[in-house]
Amino acid sequence: MGDPQPVQVVFRCDGCGHLSVAMASREVTAWDNTKTRLVVHGSSTWFPRQVGKRVYDDVPTVIASMASEAHQCLDIEANRAAVALARAVVEATAKDRGITTGTLEKKIDALFDQRLIREYVRDAAHEVRFGGNEVAHGDLVAEPMDTVTATEILGLMDEILDEVFQSPARVRHRKAQRLERERRLKEGKTPDSDGTPPPPAGTWCRWLTSPVLTLTAQGRPSSTDHPL
């Protein structure tokens, strides 16, 4: 039936009305070549490609913006740009912690020496540094940065951000909630205490929205509103 023929197909989005171009192939589906179909293979064949924006809570805005941009580069397989940004994120993280002098290698070691990162995170930061150096120094001519490697390096970058910024923020949040709870208990307050006095005894509960099952004098169940 012949080999598939590569073609470019234009589609219009039903939602926004904008156009997208897809690299597809025209394949024959009938033995007598009378029927064909268009096949689009995978997300990487669409233009423009869809990119997601990674959100980094509790990370300084400028650093979070660089990290998010690194992932956007990775989404469109701009692998070298993604890794170069990841290296910049590591250096910016060290500077944010007050480590501003020396090479990036020394900055990473200083993060560890100051107990801001653990040993395995220090090693992860160095791997990001190595990858960024390969890109910056043009050492990837013979073997380009592949998507698998770039994805691993950005994963290590995310671990560094979690170690330095996000994990401590989660601990601080948890501690603040515990201390607030202890304060309320010490003052005799409960989370739902808003100062409203309880209804007088013997009144009907206005907040019940469904019947309550009770027993009649004969022992048979009866569905009625339940008085306080």
Side-chain angles (χ1 to χ4, degrees):
M1 291 188 290
D3 296 329
Q5 302 174 3
V7 294
Q8 291 183 337
V9 187
V10 178
F11 296 88
R12 184 184 299 277
C13 175
D14 292 337
C16 66
H18 292 167
L19 300 178
S20 294
V21 179
M23 299 298 297
S25 60
R26 189 188 304 275
E27 298 180 357
V28 178
T29 59
W31 65 272
D32 57 357
N33 294 341
T34 58
K35 296 181 180 180
T36 60
R37 65 175 180 177
L38 292 174
V39 180
V40 178
H41 300 282
S43 59
S44 62
T45 56
W46 288 89
F47 303 94
R49 295 178 182 173
Q50 182 178 4
V51 295
K53 185 175 182 179
R54 187 71 63 93
V55 177
Y56 290 90
D57 295 329
D58 303 308
V59 175
T61 302
V62 174
I63 299 176
S65 176
M66 285 194 294
S68 180
E69 186 175 336
H71 279 282
Q72 289 176 317
C73 289
L74 183 63
D75 285 343
I76 61 172
E77 298 180 13
N79 300 327
R80 286 170 292 189
V83 172
L85 280 168
R87 184 190 187 280
V89 166
V90 174
E91 185 145 19
T93 297
K95 290 180 177 179
D96 182 84
R97 300 291 89 177
I99 303 171
T100 58
T101 59
T103 63
L104 179 55
E105 179 181 7
K106 294 185 180 300
K107 288 185 177 76
I108 292 171
D109 289 339
L111 284 171
F112 174 72
D113 293 339
Q114 295 181 22
R115 301 179 65 182
L116 295 171
I117 56 176
R118 287 167 287 182
E119 182 177 2
Y120 85 93
V121 179
R122 178 199 62 187
D123 295 342
H126 282 307
E127 290 303 321
V128 175
R129 176 176 66 85
F130 290 139
N133 288 347
E134 290 181 0
V135 172
H137 300 157
D139 296 333
L140 299 174
V141 177
E143 185 177 344
M145 179 70 66
D146 60 87
T147 301
V148 173
T149 302
T151 300
E152 291 176 348
I153 290 175
L154 263 64
L156 297 178
M157 176 197 73
D158 288 343
E159 289 193 36
I160 296 162
L161 294 178
D162 186 77
E163 178 88 345
V164 176
F165 300 111
Q166 295 174 302
S167 181
R170 288 193 297 269
V171 174
R172 289 194 299 268
H173 177 69
R174 180 67 262 164
K175 182 178 179 180
Q177 286 188 324
R178 175 180 59 79
L179 293 175
E180 174 62 18
R181 185 177 67 252
E182 291 176 355
R183 183 191 65 80
R184 290 197 307 265
L185 293 174
K186 186 177 181 180
E187 296 177 358
K189 296 180 179 180
T190 59
D192 58 349
S193 176
D194 57 0
T196 303
T203 59
W204 294 84
C205 181
R206 297 191 302 270
W207 298 275
L208 286 177
T209 57
S210 59
V212 177
L213 191 65
T214 60
L215 293 178
T216 65
Q218 290 77 25
R220 294 191 299 269
S222 172
S223 180
T224 62
D225 287 335
H226 188 61
L228 292 176

